[in-house]
C-alpha cells in the first residue's frame, strides 16, 4: 500500500469522524421519515428509493404529505425542486474549495452535499482555507449511507412508534442546525460578530416580510440572497 493511499484512507476516515454529530441527528430524523412514509402509504422499497435518489429530509417529508393527499406528479416535482433549490447556493459556496478537483469527484460531492454536510464543510473551510476532496467524500458518504439504512429501519418499525415527536425526534434536526450555527461563529473574528448578527437579523426580517407575498420556501431563498449580497458589499 502506497503512502498516498494511506493518506487518502486517513482523510476519508477523518471525514467520517467529523460527520458523527451529523449522523447522530440524521438517525432520529431518518427514523421519523421511515415511520411517516409507512403511515403515508409508501412501501419499504419506495422509502428506500426516496432516500437513495432524493436524499433530502425536508423534501422527502413533503413528498409523503403530497402523496397522502394524492397530489399530481407535476406538483410534487415542482415543489421538491423549489424546496431543494437552496442547494445551488450551497454548492456555489463550496466551488472555490474544489476548483482543482476532478470533474466526476466534484459531481459526487455536489450530489451528496446536504445542509448539514455543507455546514460542517464550510466551517472547516473558514478555519483552514482549504478542503480535501477525500475528506469531503468521507463526510458525505457516511451521512448518505446512514440516512438510507435508518430510513429503512424506520419503515420496518412502522406503526410501533406512531408519534415520534414524543421522543423528541422532531427536534433533532433543529438542534443540529443550532450546533452548526454556533460552530460558524467560532470562525468569525470578534470585530465582525456584530456585522454577522445584523445579517442574520436582516435575513429573518426579509423572510417575515416576503412570506406575506410568496411561499415560505421561496422567501427563505430570496432572503438568503439579499443578506449574502449585503454581506459581500460590506465585506468588500
Amino acid at each position: 500500500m502506497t503512502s498516498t493511499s494511506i493518506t487518502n484512507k486517513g482523510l476519508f476516515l477523518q471525514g467520517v469522524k467529523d460527520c458523527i454529530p451529523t449522523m447522530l441527528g440524521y438517525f432520529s430524523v431518518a427514523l421519523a421519515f421511515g415511520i411517516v412514509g409507512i403511515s403515508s402509504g409508501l412501501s419499504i422499497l419506495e422509502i428506500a428509493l426516496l432516500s437513495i435518489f432524493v436524499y433530502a429530509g425536508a423534501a422527502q417529508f413533503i413528498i409523503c404529505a403530497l402523496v397522502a393527499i394524492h397530489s399530481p406528479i407535476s406538483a410534487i416535482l415542482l415543489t421538491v425542486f423549489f424546496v431543494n433549490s437552496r442547494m445551488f447556493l450551497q454548492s456555489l459556496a463550496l466551488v472555490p474549495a474544489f476548483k482543482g478537483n476532478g470533474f466526476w469527484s466534484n459531481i459526487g460531492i455536489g450530489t451528496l452535499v446536504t445542509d448539514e454536510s455543507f455546514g460542517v464543510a464550510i466551517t472547516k473551510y473558514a478555519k483552514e482555507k482549504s478542503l480535501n476532496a477525500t475528506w469531503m467524500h468521507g463526510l458525505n458518504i457516511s451521512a448518505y449511507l446512514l440516512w438510507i439504512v435508518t430510513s429503512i429501519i424506520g419503515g420496518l418499525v412502522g406503526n410501533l412508534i406512531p408519534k415520534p415527536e414524543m421522543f423528541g425526534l422532531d427536534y433533532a434536526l433543529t438542534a443540529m442546525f443550532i450546533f452548526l450555527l454556533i460552530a460558524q461563529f467560532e470562525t468569525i473574528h470578534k470585530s465582525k460578530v456584530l456585522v454577522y448578527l445584523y445579517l442574520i437579523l436582516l435575513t429573518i426580517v426579509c423572510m417575515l416580510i416576503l412570506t406575506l407575498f410568496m411561499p415560505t420556501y421561496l422567501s427563505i431563498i430570496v432572503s438568503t440572497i439579499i443578506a449574502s449580497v449585503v454581506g459581500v458589499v460590506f465585506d468588500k
Side-chain angles (χ1 to χ4, degrees), residues 142-194:
S142 54
Y144 178 56
L145 293 178
L146 181 86
W147 179 268
I148 295 170
V149 172
T150 309
S151 63
I152 293 173
I153 293 173
L156 293 172
V157 171
N159 293 326
L160 295 178
I161 310 178
K163 294 182 179 180
E165 64 271 12
M166 68 185 292
F167 298 104
L169 298 182
D170 56 331
Y171 186 70
L173 202 59
T174 304
M176 188 162 43
F177 277 120
I178 292 173
F179 166 78
L180 291 173
L181 177 63
I182 294 173
Q184 284 283 330
F185 276 95
E186 292 179 355
T187 66
I188 299 173
H189 194 274
K190 290 183 179 179
S191 61
K192 291 188 176 182
V193 169
L194 195 59

Side-chain angles (χ1 to χ4, degrees), residues 44-160:
I44 296 295
L45 177 60
E46 288 168 333
I47 288 172
L49 291 175
L50 276 176
S51 293
I52 292 170
F53 293 109
V54 178
Y55 185 45
Q60 289 179 223
F61 280 102
I62 289 171
I63 290 172
C64 289
L66 294 176
V67 167
I69 60 175
H70 306 290
S71 297
I73 294 296
S74 57
I76 295 175
L77 290 175
L78 191 61
T79 302
V80 171
F81 173 78
F82 277 115
V83 169
N84 283 349
S85 57
R86 69 190 184 281
M87 299 300 177
F88 289 118
L89 299 176
Q90 295 177 358
S91 297
L92 284 171
L94 291 175
V95 165
F98 300 108
K99 278 186 176 179
N101 196 31
F103 174 78
W104 290 110
S105 180
N106 280 344
I107 290 293
I109 291 172
T111 300
L112 296 183
V113 73
T114 62
D115 295 322
E116 296 77 26
S117 63
F118 168 79
V120 175
I122 205 68
T123 300
K124 184 178 179 68
Y125 184 64
K127 289 180 179 178
E128 303 177 8
K129 305 303 179 185
S130 65
L131 288 177
N132 182 276
T134 303
W135 173 87
M136 191 70 191
H137 288 311
L139 179 74
N140 279 344
I141 293 172
S142 54
Y144 178 56
L145 293 178
L146 181 86
W147 179 268
I148 295 170
V149 172
T150 309
S151 63
I152 293 173
I153 293 173
L156 293 172
V157 171
N159 293 326
L160 295 178

